[in-house]
Amino acid sequence: MAASSSQLLFFFLLLLPLAINGADFITLKCEANFTGNAILQGNINTLLLDLEAKTSARGFANSSRGAGNDTVYGISECREDATAEKCAACMAEAVLQAYTSCPNSAESYVWHHSCFLRYANREFFGQADSGRVGAWSSTVKAADPPTFARAVVELLDVVGIEASYGEYRKFGWGELDTGRSYHVPKLYGMAECTWDLRQQACINCLLDAYKLFREDCGDRVGCVVMTKSCSLRFDVDAFLFLNGRSSPASSVTAGHL
Ligand SMILES: *[C@@H]1O[C@H](CO)[C@@H](O)[C@H](O)[C@H]1NC(C)=O
Ligand SMILES: *[C@@H]1O[C@H](CO)[C@@H](O)[C@H](O)[C@H]1NC(C)=O
Ligand SMILES: *[C@@H]1O[C@H](CO)[C@@H](O)[C@H](O)[C@H]1NC(C)=O
């Protein structure tokens, strides 16, 4: 099932004000809404600021604040190809969005192309959660959907495995040189799990994300699916900032940055 045009329009409206600011926000989700708990809200606010302060140093961070049932846990990371500057700017914006868009939520998720932020009032480190947060797909349809879909699977298999191997950063990318057999010269792919996941948890999350992929992306030439713990993306246009790093002209190339 492809994203309907009304969904795409909604996305455009959502994206527009932020795009003007040069941000690369994609989607967010606010859950576990509460009212009248100033202590919990205070813990969330200080947690967000702590994550923002910590993330730029290593590109990823976790944090917890509070005590008893008002304890909150958070995790953050930047996409592995984001520069320190881009990472810091992205995280500042994600924190602001969590703060302003999810004012009374004990749990939220903010996905940008370049960074991700998640917090909850329950401990979740190391646990994969493939709950859908959002998806975005290109409006362009593939010329030969069945063949194109096979190329996508081939590429995503490789980048998914690559991502799961990461020790601290669970990020894999690759390019498939199609030799124009799919009416496009190249296909680019990326898989990402939050850094707290172990290898098998990451693979399980990506497999679930791939199922969403088939529902959300239809026959489009580009798509990204975001869950609570992982993300998958492919596109016929290059979207990573590899700083001149190019892959040899073999069939599938993949790697960690
Ligand atoms: C960060 O996560 C690790 C487990 O991956 C945990 O041991 C540590 O206590 C966490 N740090 C904070 C500040 O929550
Ligand atoms: C949190 O714990 C306190 C004291 O143990 C209790 O009174 C309160 O109802 C709890 N709040 C929630 C949301 O469970
Ligand atoms: C929780 O709060 C968010 C943001 O204020 C809102 O968009 C969402 O619909 C709320 N969810 C529920 C179940 O009320």
Side-chain angles (χ1 to χ4, degrees), residues 3-214:
S4 71
S5 53
S6 66
Q7 276 174 308
L8 285 171
L9 179 64
F10 174 69
F11 236 110
F12 251 101
L13 294 174
L14 205 67
L15 224 51
L16 213 54
L18 287 150
I20 289 165
N21 294 332
D24 64 357
F25 167 71
I26 325 177
T27 192
L28 63 75
K29 193 167 199 168
C30 318
E31 288 183 353
N33 294 347
F34 63 89
T35 48
N37 188 341
I39 294 173
L40 180 57
Q41 190 60 65
N43 289 340
I44 291 170
N45 296 348
T46 55
L47 176 91
L48 287 172
L49 294 175
D50 188 47
L51 285 175
E52 182 179 345
K54 280 178 177 171
T55 309
S56 54
R58 290 197 301 174
F60 60 97
N62 65 328
S63 180
S64 49
R65 283 287 183 276
N69 56 13
D70 288 322
T71 309
V72 286
Y73 304 85
I75 195 169
S76 58
E77 63 187 52
C78 288
R79 203 169 73 186
E80 206 166 306
D81 60 318
T83 60
E85 195 178 32
K86 184 157 194 160
C87 177
C90 190
M91 199 45 64
E93 188 137 348
V95 160
L96 188 64
Q97 284 168 324
Y99 179 76
T100 54
S101 302
C102 305
N104 296 299
S105 303
E107 193 167 331
S108 25
Y109 305 84
V110 184
W111 272 107
H112 282 233
H113 283 300
S114 304
C115 66
F116 172 67
L117 168 69
R118 169 186 185 183
Y119 71 79
N121 60 343
R122 60 190 168 85
E123 164 100 81
F124 60 84
F125 299 145
Q127 298 160 26
D129 186 336
S130 53
R132 184 183 184 281
V133 175
W136 176 88
S137 63
S138 164
T139 53
V140 181
K141 290 186 177 184
D144 176 1
T147 321
F148 187 76
R150 278 198 292 280
V152 169
V153 176
E154 187 185 344
L155 179 59
L156 293 182
D157 268 359
V158 176
V159 299
I161 299 282
E162 204 57 45
S164 73
Y165 282 142
E167 196 178 349
Y168 288 109
R169 309 295 297 277
K170 298 261 183 308
F171 178 79
W173 65 277
E175 329 182 336
L176 181 69
D177 201 333
T178 67
R180 291 209 159 266
S181 52
Y182 306 108
H183 306 277
V184 291
K186 271 194 175 179
L187 196 56
Y188 301 87
M190 184 205 82
E192 192 178 14
C193 291
T194 55
W195 62 267
D196 56 313
L197 297 191
R198 300 178 78 99
Q199 184 176 10
Q200 193 57 49
C202 176
I203 288 177
N204 293 345
C205 187
L206 291 172
L207 285 172
D208 287 348
Y210 182 68
K211 289 178 201 149
L212 293 174
F213 226 57
R214 290 164 53 173

Side-chain angles (χ1 to χ4, degrees), residues 235-252:
D235 210 306
V236 292
D237 296 319
F239 55 84
L240 294 169
F241 301 97
L242 297 170
N243 298 321
R245 190 189 301 254
S246 63
S247 46
S250 60
S251 57
V252 182

